[in-house]
Amino acid sequence: MCGIVGLHLRDASLEPRLGSLLTGMLGQMVDRGPDSAGVAVYGNPVFSPAGESSVSVLDAPSDLVTAVRDALGVTVGALDLAPTTVLHAPVPATLLADTVRTLAPTATVIGFGDDVTVLKGTGDPRDLAETFGLPAASGRQGVGHTRMATESAVTAAGSHPFAVGPDQCLVHNGSFSNHLSIKRELEDEGVVFDSENDTEVGARFVAKHLAEGADLEKALRLLGERFDGFYTLLVSTSDSFAVVRDPIACKPAIVAECDAYVAMASEFRALAGLPGITDARIFEPEPDRVYVWRR
Ligand SMILES: NC(=O)CC[C@H](N)C(=O)O
């Protein structure tokens, strides 16, 4: 299984409630993915203050903040949301992420950008949401995932989201059957992987095409041409929120769209508590069709 939830707000008055709404949605998907969980929150001023970039790190050494501050010569803020550490600083996001990778080669960068923060771990998703401080978090877009592992060990690094490009985030329900051959091709092109997870291959494939100039719709169409297996994917960037399912739509997905938000989940029960849900347009995304909502 695995459970996906996502909320792309259109009505700014809901932003203070993003984290509590996402927590409620995630809580409904625990039985689909009880072994680990993760979230990506866009536009939260505590995780990622305005004018600063942030990087989310697993297994951060205790002296990382000092080392990054000394290397960059700027003030570095940090939040300990174990097992994730979030660093923020007034430098470009790629510089901050690269500095962390250089100074802490045994740590894993699990997300970076101008306004996204990625938090993940193992254990009960409800406990993780509390550890992350999700219920109190504001924001304008959020993505969550509860994992039941199919392709790699139950570790924090193997949890979703996979957020491997700037301000990007990808979560997956399903399994890619040809991910190892695509992984070898990407490695031959110099792409470096952090885990054995099949979803990471999809995220690296999408990030590569976005970096080469494709828009999100094109990158997901290329993924559909290249990847075999089962998938419902929710993929986001700072301004986009996208859903795609494999050609036989093997894994469930449901979308609710209204003036206030676009919401997506693996099952309707995760959407049932959203404000105004009874007036939303509710539909099942069609197989093999890329849906993208932009702000
Ligand atoms: N159950 C799932 O959908 C698992 C997703 C993915 N294959 C993983 O193992 O992380």
Side-chain angles (χ1 to χ4, degrees):
M1 290 217 269
C2 277
I4 293 176
V5 297
L7 188 55
H8 169 89
L9 295 180
R10 290 170 161 166
D11 177 354
S13 73
L14 285 175
E15 290 181 10
R17 296 173 61 192
L18 179 94
S20 66
L21 294 171
L22 203 63
T23 302
M25 295 168 79
L26 199 71
Q28 290 294 324
M29 294 292 93
V30 172
D31 58 355
R32 292 190 63 89
D35 64 39
S36 33
V39 296
V41 177
Y42 290 80
N44 179 281
V46 178
F47 297 150
S48 183
E52 301 196 10
S53 64
S54 77
V55 59
S56 302
V57 186
L58 290 175
D59 302 319
S62 56
D63 62 350
L64 183 62
V65 176
T66 317
V68 172
R69 184 194 64 202
D70 292 349
L72 294 176
V74 296
T75 303
V76 176
L79 295 166
D80 180 7
L81 301 167
T84 308
T85 304
V86 180
L87 272 58
H88 54 84
V91 297
T94 44
L95 174 62
L96 184 60
D98 287 345
T99 303
V100 168
R101 288 190 190 99
T102 304
L103 295 173
T106 58
T108 306
V109 170
I110 57 167
F112 64 101
D114 290 334
D115 73 346
V116 70
T117 299
V118 176
L119 304 164
K120 51 191 202 174
T122 56
D124 188 308
R126 284 166 295 222
D127 297 339
L128 288 167
E130 292 298 325
T131 306
F132 300 155
L134 187 64
S138 64
R140 54 172 214 290
Q141 179 170 271
V143 171
H145 186 269
T146 60
R147 181 172 186 230
M148 186 180 284
T150 62
E151 303 299 320
S152 66
V154 177
T155 61
S159 307
H160 304 210
F162 285 92
V164 303
D167 289 305
Q168 294 165 27
C169 160
L170 181 149
V171 294
H172 174 203
N173 174 201
S175 52
F176 294 127
S177 51
N178 59 343
H179 67 282
L180 288 175
S181 50
I182 300 170
K183 184 176 185 177
R184 276 193 292 274
E185 288 169 16
L186 291 172
E187 283 175 333
D188 287 345
E189 295 174 28
V191 176
V192 176
F193 286 79
D194 292 325
S195 75
E196 301 301 314
N197 189 277
D198 59 328
T199 307
E200 184 183 355
V201 183
R204 299 260 174 213
F205 181 93
V206 169
K208 171 181 132 66
H209 287 286
L210 291 178
E212 289 172 357
D215 62 16
L216 192 51
E217 192 158 14
K218 174 89 188 295
L220 291 175
R221 266 193 277 113
L222 291 169
L223 179 144
E225 287 167 15
R226 189 68 188 84
F227 281 71
D228 293 330
F230 306 129
Y231 54 89
T232 287
L233 300 174
L234 175 56
V235 187
S236 58
T237 66
S238 279
D239 62 0
S240 304
F241 185 83
V243 174
V244 64
R245 303 170 80 190
D246 66 65
I248 57 168
C250 187
K251 298 296 178 184
I254 187 96
V255 171
E257 184 171 12
C258 60
D259 289 346
Y261 55 77
V262 180
M264 182 270 173
S266 298
E267 297 178 37
F268 178 75
R269 61 190 157 126
L271 307 180
L274 290 174
I277 190 69
T278 47
D279 297 325
R281 182 171 81 93
I282 294 166
F283 63 95
E284 240 189 88
E286 288 174 23
D288 205 19
R289 175 169 164 189
V290 177
Y291 295 79
V292 182
W293 293 269
R294 289 194 172 79
R295 55 187 67 253

